[in-house]
Every structure is written in structure tokens, then in C-alpha cells.
Amino acid sequence: MPAKIIGLGRAVPDPVLTNRDLEQRIDTSDEWIRTRTGISERHVAPEGVDNSDLVADASRRAIEDAGLTADQIDVLIVATATPDTVFPSTACWAQPKIGLREIPVFDISAACSGFLYGYALAASLIDSGRARHVLVCGAEVLSRVLDWNDRSTCVLFGDGAGAAVIGPGAEGDGLLAHTWGADGRLAELLYQPAGGTRKPASHETVDERLHSVHMQGNEVFKHAVRTMSQASLSVLEQAGVRAEEVDLFIPHQANIRIMKAAADRAGIPMDRCYLVIQRYGNVSAASIPMALADARAEGRLEPGMTVLSAAFGAGFTWAAAVYRL
Ligand code: UT7
């Protein structure tokens, strides 16, 4: 029984930070941000709102959308690069907030590819009979790990969560093909240098601003386009689905130019590519499930449609999937 997304939910903190707001704080412009990235605004979690709160809100909505109750969830997987704490997992903090039973809950760290990594894990758990309903949530509070004086990174990211309940589907439904990979030799092109055990927090790490996102944007851009398009072509071939049969392309949303290049190389026109980057910025692991929830709410995603998703993120990690909802 193929693993199918049977419920979706998304959550964003209320406060919105527009490009115009950023113009008041740093040397940037709405025009630069929109033309170089496609972003117009992003949500920023206020103090007191934790990643696990966003996980809980999105998850409760996904469970309700699936027509289930919290006690019917067998496993919770949270994909995040911005956990509440290094340990325990954000999933543990979120578990009582969602009202789940004493089921296994854990985080996975695959940056922007995290939701698609989680979908593959959920499918394996369902295929093997170890679980019937797996809740996979991509959630980020990236605003807390940004250097707000670094214009090359702080304009790019946002906060939010998207959750999917994955359960057994009928023949021809659900996950048709999946691919994933990583190349840790490129880890230093995009990472948060301090705060782990290699460089624990100290006055020096704070003074040197090592607790924020460090990125070599141009290099990341090139790898993202190449990897997302290769993974897309490979997963389409594996599924036996032609590009023209893809009803909707929902890629990870890091930059409109990356998405256009990846769509072009995969042979998918932009009118079949669903975009949310303009309103959320790059929300890393949350971008695909948030986009899925919005696409469905807007009537762009209907039952039986064939969806292609591809993601690329820090690590580097990547993944792609062809699936039917
Ligand atoms: O989620 C996956 C991980 N992240 C990504 O996939 C991000 C991948 N990279 C990118 O999206 C792009 O590389 C960026 C959006 C980060 C940068 O765009 P770019 O076209 O590669 O710009 P650039 O870094 O080559 O910078 C061009 C210019 C520079 O000025 P000079 O040296 O040409 O005078 C920058 O200083 O733009 C300047 N610049 C800015 N100007 C206004 C950089 N950031 C800004 C800014 N506002 N916010």
C-alpha cells in the first residue's frame, strides 16, 4: 500500500516582516530582494513562540484534515534545522502540545530536504507494517539564527511549519517514486558554525557571530539548480511519469531563480510550478508542506493529481519525490 498524504496543515506566526521593513534596518531594497529571490515578505516568530508551537499548530490541523484524532498517530517525525533545544528533540517538546500518545517521536536534520527525507521514512514505516499513520512536520524558526546585520542572508529566510499525515493509500496513489542523497564534503558552504559541541557557546562565538547562518550563496545556488533538476529527472524516470504528466511541481522554495532553472531543466513550465516564496521567504524544511497546504486551499491541488517535489539544502542534502494525493 503506497504511503499517501491524507491530511495537511500549516502554521505561521502572525508578525509579517516586509522587504520595505528591511529597507529601514539594513542597506537593501525591496527591488533587489524581489528580483534576486522572489521574496516580498516573511513571517517572524515573536518571543514566546517556539518551533514546537508551530509544529503543534500545523500538526493539529493536519490530523483534523485527515479526519483522525491525535491518538491515531503512530509516529511523529519533525524535520528541522532550528530545534527548540539541541536536546531533547523538537518532536518531544511538541508531543504533549499536540496531545499524542506515548509513541516514538524524533527529529531529523536534513535542512531544506527534511520534509522529503521524512516522507521516505514514513513510507518505510508504513510499508514495513511498523506504523499506520505517520505525522511528518517540517518546521523552522530561522529568524532566531540569522545575523540581522548580514544583508546577504537575513533577507532570505522566514518562520513557519507545514505538516502532513501520511497513511496507507490505494494502488496507484501516494508515493510513486523517491530519491535522496547527500554530499557532506560541501557542509561548510551553508552552516551554523557554533552552538554544537564543536564550538560550544562562548563569548568569542557570540562576538564572532558564529551562531548565525553562514552561506556562500553563489556556490549554493549552482549546486541547488544542478541537484534539484537531476533529482527531478531521476525520480520522474523511476516513476515512469513524463514531465507533461506532472500536474504540479512543488519544489523547495529558496529562490525563484533556482526554481525556474530547475523547472526548466525538468521540462515543466512555470504555470505548473506552485510558488509561496513571495509570502514566506525560505522556510527550509517547512516550504514544501506549507506549499502543499496552500495549493490545496487555493484549489490548485486536487485528489488524484500527480505532484513532483524536489529539495536541496545544507549538508548538502537533496531529495525528490513523485506522488499522488
Ligand atoms: O535553502 C537552500 C539554501 N539556500 C539557497 O539556496 C540560497 C542560494 N543562493 C541564492 O539564492 C543567491 O546566491 C542569493 C540570493 C543569496 C544572492 O544572489 P546573487 O545574485 O547570487 O547575488 P550575489 O551574492 O552575487 O551579490 C550581488 C550583489 C553584491 O554586490 P556587489 O559585490 O556586486 O557590489 C552583494 O553585496 O548584491 C549585493 N547584495 C545585496 N544588495 C542589496 C547581497 N545581498 C543584498 C541585499 N540587498 N540583501
Side-chain angles (χ1 to χ4, degrees), residues 28 32 36 112 151 190 215 217-218 252 254-255 257-258 282:
T28 190
W32 190 96
R36 294 291 180 120
C112 308
R151 69 177 185 172
L190 173 53
M215 178 169 75
N218 287 328
H252 166 53
N255 185 315
R257 293 181 293 138
I258 295 177
N282 180 350

Side-chain angles (χ1 to χ4, degrees), residues 26-29 32-33 36-37 112 151-153 155-157 190 215 217-218 220-221 224 252-255 257-258 282 284 312-314:
I26 48 167
D27 179 18
T28 190
S29 68
W32 190 96
I33 303 171
R36 294 291 180 120
T37 71
C112 308
R151 69 177 185 172
S152 69
T153 52
V155 304
L156 302 175
F157 297 96
L190 173 53
M215 178 169 75
N218 287 328
V220 177
F221 192 104
H252 166 53
Q253 320 249 330
N255 185 315
R257 293 181 293 138
I258 295 177
N282 180 350
S284 190
F312 171 86

Side-chain angles (χ1 to χ4, degrees), residues 63 67-73:
I63 294 168
L68 301 176
T69 50
D71 60 347
Q72 290 174 284
I73 300 298

